[in-house]
Amino acid sequence: MDINKIYVIGVGQMGSGIAQVAAQSGFEVTMYDQTEAIVKKGYDRVAGNLEKLVAKGKLEKAAADETVKRIKTSVALGDAKDADLVIEAIYENPAAKKAIYAELIKVIKPETILASNTSSISITELAASTDRPDRFIGMHFFNPVPVMKLLEIITGYLTSDATLTVAKAIGEKMGKVGVAALDKPGFIVNRILIPMLNEAILLLEEGVASAEDIDKATVNGCGHPMGPLHLTDLVGLDVTLAIMEVLHREFGDSKYRPSPLLKKMVAAGKLGCKTKEGFFKY
Ligand code: 3HC
């Protein structure tokens, strides 16, 4: 199946990153969100990122202009009617995701593939809420999407081999390193990474070391590009908590218990970079 038009739902950091990379890779992209103001913010973020690449000499001005021309915006899901692929990248809430799919399947073509960028929700469960579980797949990108090379491709119980083949080809065209994973909580990276971030928060909570020193430790002791607390701020404390809660609930293992400090900070609205404050100030 030829994929030309990609409809991206949600223009937060992940959705806009996906839209940018897709447009830079030659796909016709539509960025959807609930209001004109939100969509504009996402679109401006992409345009700004492209400008920065041009200023750094990493992208030709003409290529940036062509990329921008390939991006449309939308505030009505009906605009997805001619999409070949829909990538949903909204917040981690199964009910909200399913509500969007329920609207989408009324308008999209029968052959359109539906992908979710979910970081932890079961692909099988999301797929089952649609009319096309064989054409439903997880395409999990990493933050910041234009920089991180990985694409986890997650097959649900009923995802067809043909859909997997198409998703792998799209990832390749986007210049990503694709890895396939089965539909188990956390897939590959988040099952490893998020408990590590949670453990760093527990260290802080126990007073073992300061936030600065916890981060200094893994940067200088393990060669990580950024420390776990800074990374939690980048990922979002709310997203980190949501993933820990899924791991805890689905595996029923106390080792995945979310840190009480993480819960408290999310309740207080300290969500990291996006709210300008988490473990550090931005
Ligand atoms: N968008 C686009 N480009 C960005 C960017 C963004 N949001 N953030 C940084 N960059 C670019 C910079 O422009 C710079 O480009 P250049 O080399 O061409 O000048 C390059 O990335 C390096 O950035 P900086 O020099 O500002 O800073 P660093 O060298 O510290 O790199 C980083 C920043 C790439 C974020 C690096 O610290 C890193 O790799 N951190 C780890 C990120 C990570 O682990 N991500 C995965 C999170 S888990 C996830 O996403 C899954 C989800 O489900 C939770």
Side-chain angles (χ1 to χ4, degrees):
M1 179 188 179
D2 267 356
I3 303 284
N4 295 309
K5 295 188 176 172
I6 303 184
Y7 193 84
V8 180
I9 300 185
V11 303
Q13 11 181 26
M14 298 305 289
S16 54
I18 294 167
Q20 177 186 330
V21 172
Q24 278 186 268
S25 312
F27 293 101
E28 297 291 327
V29 176
T30 302
M31 299 175 75
Y32 163 90
D33 216 309
Q34 284 174 320
T35 68
E36 298 278 1
I38 301 173
V39 173
K40 182 173 182 318
K41 208 169 152 195
Y43 180 88
D44 288 349
R45 185 185 294 145
V46 173
N49 270 347
L50 293 170
E51 269 171 34
K52 274 190 214 152
L53 289 174
V54 172
K56 282 192 227 164
K58 298 211 161 177
L59 185 68
E60 293 288 332
K61 169 93 174 69
D65 291 345
E66 286 305 312
T67 300
V68 165
K69 274 193 219 151
R70 280 195 286 273
I71 304 176
K72 289 191 198 127
T73 59
S74 160
V75 289
L77 289 174
D79 296 336
K81 61 182 185 306
D82 57 355
D84 305 311
L85 168 72
V86 176
I87 304 179
E88 167 274 308
I90 69 160
Y91 57 103
E92 289 294 88
N93 178 312
K97 288 179 189 284
K98 288 175 193 172
I100 283 182
Y101 306 151
E103 289 307 307
L104 267 179
I105 60 179
K106 291 182 197 159
V107 296
I108 55 178
K109 299 182 286 189
E111 66 272 25
T112 299
I113 292 175
L114 257 175
S116 177
N117 178 56
T118 180
S119 45
S120 59
I121 300 170
S122 162
I123 295 300
T124 306
E125 178 195 331
L126 294 176
S129 76
T130 74
D131 61 345
R132 60 194 72 206
D134 56 324
R135 278 152 292 139
F136 193 104
I137 195 154
M139 291 180 75
H140 183 212
F141 292 82
F142 290 80
N143 190 7
V145 181
V147 182
M148 305 314 286
K149 286 218 168 331
L150 185 64
L151 173 64
E152 280 181 344
I153 302 172
I154 304 105
T155 45
Y157 192 71
L158 294 172
T159 306
S160 69
D161 289 346
T163 302
L164 175 62
T165 302
V166 173
K168 281 183 177 167
I170 293 163
E172 223 165 88
K173 190 169 167 190
M174 289 186 184
K176 297 296 179 196
V177 174
V179 293
L182 295 182
D183 185 21
K184 283 208 97 178
F187 316 132
I188 301 174
V189 170
N190 283 344
R191 173 119 170 238
I192 301 169
L193 177 69
I194 303 297
M196 187 193 78
L197 303 186
N198 190 58
E199 202 64 34
I201 304 165
L202 285 167
L203 276 176
L204 179 69
E205 199 169 349
E206 290 166 22
V208 175
S210 67
E212 287 76 10
D213 281 356
I214 290 169
D215 273 15
K216 244 189 237 168
T218 69
V219 169
N220 293 285
C222 315
H224 291 180
M226 62 182 12
L229 299 175
H230 186 185
L231 183 54
T232 307
D233 283 348
L234 177 73
V235 166
L237 275 71
D238 51 342
V239 175
T240 305
L241 176 60
I243 299 170
M244 279 311 290
E245 282 172 339
V246 169
L247 294 173
H248 194 209
R249 189 175 63 239
E250 297 295 324
F251 287 116
D253 188 329
S254 62
K255 76 178 177 181
Y256 296 115
R257 183 178 65 95
S259 136
L261 174 62
L262 174 63
K263 284 183 169 173
K264 219 184 283 177
M265 289 176 70
V266 170
K270 304 284 182 211
L271 306 183
C273 301
K274 62 187 161 192
T275 59
K276 310 256 185 276
E277 191 178 340
F279 296 101
F280 302 101
K281 287 197 170 141
Y282 300 90

